[in-house]
Amino acid sequence: MARQLFELCGTDPARRFSPYCWRSRMALAHKGLEAEVVPWRFTEKAAIAFAESDKVPVLVDGERRVADSWAIAEYLDAAYPDAPRLFAGAPAAQRFVNTWSDGVLLPALAKLIVSDIPPLLGAEDRAYFIESREKRFGQPLDQVTAGREARLPEFRALLMPLRLLLRAQPFLGGAAPDYGDYCVFGTLMWPRIVSPLPLLEPGDAVHAWQERMLDLFGGLARAAPAAAA
Amino acid sequence: MARQLFELCGTDPARRFSPYCWRSRMALAHKGLEAEVVPWRFTEKAAIAFAESDKVPVLVDGERRVADSWAIAEYLDAAYPDAPRLFAGAPAAQRFVNTWSDGVLLPALAKLIVSDIPPLLGAEDRAYFIESREKRFGQPLDQVTAGREARLPEFRALLMPLRLLLRAQPFLGGAAPDYGDYCVFGTLMWPRIVSPLPLLEPGDAVHAWQERMLDLFGGLARAAPAAAA
């Protein structure tokens, strides 16, 4: 059976924007593994029920089904120990980068870009997305992102630990990227795909790192259609 | 020549409160290495000039002099490769924990506890500390920490990436502590030594982890005189 990765998209299957799916897509590339893209929409819960998950990414690898981006990364290093490792030491050390991406970076991004997503979705998914996100934020999505340009400096300040690190070394993983890089980079692919908002300033060490990441694997991520021209 | 660690203190040499010195003290204990405490005060720049640094920690190990807590950790793993490793893989993976401790945790703590420090200092250091910190904050230190009890929920929210991680594994390093743990824990020793402010709630996973850290090495850090009774 071929290897498959279920990835979130909207009406356009080429516009895959999930921050978690991008972590797994980059992790597969790091390991040198191909995987067919299976486009998946928010309301297609039935299509991934076989993996005992209601969220993507879901990886199908022969007889194995793995849900959750962190579990997929651990699985890939265990199943393919001879391919370049995602975790230089134990996975423990990268986990803080992962929880920071989930608990700090992603919520901050959501408040800047969540209103850019509904136009990319089909009717059924759009209704689901708007209802679930308005419930989460307690207000209409346009109000969540109102005045977002003025909040960019605050967002950029949040990236400071990353910036300090990237002044000291080229990648979170050191001389070369590892799964810590993919956690942060994958999260930043989400706004890149869906929003025209210019999040990073050209002089920022984080911007320079993002450019290096976009070039990896023959420009795999750069080739994805971005919202900003 | 004996091994020595220059550590910041005030009038009481037993009350060592530097977040960076605690990182190095715990790192030495992790490696099973003893080091004489050399008490050092803010204004004693001349006493550490030999290490080409104006800040502590400074480690003297035979002929070697190493300044800066991160450099000390790297030095210890390189010089004592057979002792338990501070960095399970390459040091790169822990560096994000270090920059988060420096760039996020420490500034947030400073706004809660900086006014607790002058009473611990001798006259000369006190004048130096107040002048330099009031310049940094642009206001009197009492004003910096005013209303701090009301800001505790905001501080605790900042610990979320740490909390998410510590729900998934007992230490930042995984099953056992590594230098990532000492970065965060050392930073939290600073308020513990100088301030009565109750930073963590007992039910918090971060609090439970801090208790485990205080127990390490025969209660090395727990034995340090804390400000809160």
Side-chain angles (χ1 to χ4, degrees), chain B residues 5-26 28 35-41 56 120 186 188-194 220-221 223-227:
Chain B
L5 186 68
F6 286 70
E7 296 185 65
L8 181 69
C9 63
T11 49
D12 179 359
R15 199 173 284 262
R16 287 168 283 133
F17 55 82
S18 158
Y20 296 102
C21 293
W22 271 104
R23 297 182 197 183
S24 296
R25 175 55 63 187
M26 296 297 286
L28 283 160
E36 180 196 345
V37 176
V38 183
W40 180 89
R41 278 90 182 175
V56 289
L120 305 174
L188 290 173
M189 283 300 287
W190 180 39
R192 181 177 165 88
I193 303 294
V194 305
L220 166 67

Side-chain angles (χ1 to χ4, degrees), chain A residues 106-185:
Chain A
L106 203 133
L109 286 169
K111 288 178 198 163
L112 294 171
I113 64 155
V114 69
S115 62
D116 291 314
I117 294 174
L120 306 174
L121 306 179
E124 197 183 352
D125 281 344
R126 192 183 312 141
Y128 165 82
F129 185 85
I130 292 176
E131 187 192 343
S132 60
R133 269 50 176 184
E134 288 193 347
K135 191 171 169 188
R136 189 181 300 171
F137 286 104
Q139 56 183 336
L141 300 188
D142 281 349
Q143 283 181 29
V144 174
T145 59
R148 61 189 187 177
E149 285 80 5
R151 288 187 278 118
L152 282 174
E154 182 191 344
F155 171 76
R156 290 168 184 156
L158 208 65
L159 302 178
M160 209 223 290
L162 194 59
R163 192 169 291 124
L164 290 173
L165 184 155
L166 293 168
R167 287 180 192 153
Q169 59 193 44
F171 295 98
L172 283 83
D178 72 5
Y179 193 66
D181 291 272
Y182 305 135
C183 287
V184 179
F185 175 76

Side-chain angles (χ1 to χ4, degrees), chain B residues 105-125:
Chain B
L105 182 57
L106 203 132
L109 285 169
K111 288 178 199 164
L112 294 172
I113 65 155
V114 69
S115 63
D116 290 315
I117 294 173
L120 305 174
L121 307 179
E124 197 182 352
D125 282 343

Side-chain angles (χ1 to χ4, degrees), chain A residues 70 88-97 99-100 102-104 107 158 160-162 164-165 168-169 171-175 178, chain B residues 70 88-97 99-100 102-104 107 158 160-162 164-165 168-169 171-175 178:
Chain A
W70 181 266
Q94 285 83 2
R95 196 186 272 274
F96 186 73
V97 176
T99 56
W100 180 82
D102 293 353
V104 177
L158 208 65
M160 209 223 290
L162 194 59
L164 290 173
L165 184 155
Q169 59 193 44
F171 295 98
L172 283 83
D178 72 5
Chain B
W70 182 265
Q94 286 81 4
R95 196 186 273 274
F96 186 73
V97 176
T99 56
W100 180 82
D102 292 354
V104 177
L158 209 65
M160 208 221 294
L162 194 59
L164 289 173
L165 184 155
Q169 59 193 46
F171 296 99
L172 283 84
D178 72 4

Side-chain angles (χ1 to χ4, degrees), chain B residues 65-108:
Chain B
R65 287 107 175 74
V66 191
D68 181 83
S69 57
W70 182 265
I72 288 171
E74 290 192 316
Y75 164 76
L76 290 175
D77 257 8
Y80 302 95
D82 297 332
R85 298 194 65 80
L86 289 162
F87 300 109
Q94 286 81 4
R95 196 186 273 274
F96 186 73
V97 176
N98 196 61
T99 56
W100 180 82
S101 301
D102 292 354
V104 177
L105 182 57
L106 203 132

